[in-house]
Amino acid sequence: KLRSGSLLSVSDEEGFVTLIDTRNKSASDLVTKWEAHQNSIFDVVWVADDTQLATASGDQTIRLWDVEHEKTKCVFLGHQGSVKSVDAKSDSHIFATGSRDGNVCIWDSRTGSRSGSD
């Protein structure tokens, strides 16, 4: 595990995710930064624990990240518009996304499967 409960994830319009360690108050609080999408990221959420992060993007995808290795674990496809929001219950592998296409989808990070309105 990384730093349970002390990492803040920040996303931007260039498609980058930045992780900041909130335990310290210095300029060296930046843990890492990587390009997660080649389009804007509108929302991020921790999934299951502080080792996985889901990103919602204007490229119509949701990506599940292995934070420690900065690698994509899974790309979730199914929305027909920019994915504007993502949320997960604490310590759960289930998360929900909302898109400009008007659909809400429920995803399982363990299987990559979804359900939702079409």
Side-chain angles (χ1 to χ4, degrees), residues 55-103:
T55 54
S57 176
D59 65 9
Q60 302 180 8
T61 68
I62 305 94
R63 292 181 184 260
L64 182 67
W65 293 92
D66 173 333
V67 173
E68 187 172 7
H69 298 103
E70 300 171 18
K71 294 192 180 210
T72 303
K73 292 184 74 169
C74 188
V75 178
F76 298 88
L77 304 170
H79 284 294
Q80 301 302 313
S82 296
V83 185
K84 295 294 195 172
S85 63
V86 58
D87 199 9
K89 184 178 176 186
S90 297
D91 298 327
S92 175
H93 293 280
I94 307 297
F95 63 96
T97 56
S99 171
R100 287 188 59 93
D101 64 11
N103 290 319

Side-chain angles (χ1 to χ4, degrees), residues 10-79:
V10 180
S11 62
D12 65 30
E13 292 182 350
E14 276 74 49
F16 284 87
V17 169
T18 303
L19 298 183
I20 300 167
D21 188 342
T22 61
R23 295 178 300 179
N24 302 318
K25 305 290 185 212
S26 69
S28 63
D29 295 344
L30 175 68
V31 174
T32 189
K33 181 176 183 176
W34 75 90
E35 186 174 15
H37 294 265
Q38 293 185 347
N39 203 314
S40 296
I41 299 173
F42 296 109
D43 205 2
V44 295
V45 68
W46 294 104
V47 178
D49 55 27
D50 69 354
T51 64
Q52 297 181 61
L53 186 71
T55 54
S57 176
D59 65 9
Q60 302 180 8
T61 68
I62 305 94
R63 292 181 184 260
L64 182 67
W65 293 92
D66 173 333
V67 173
E68 187 172 7
H69 298 103
E70 300 171 18
K71 294 192 180 210
T72 303
K73 292 184 74 169
C74 188
V75 178
F76 298 88
L77 304 170
H79 284 294

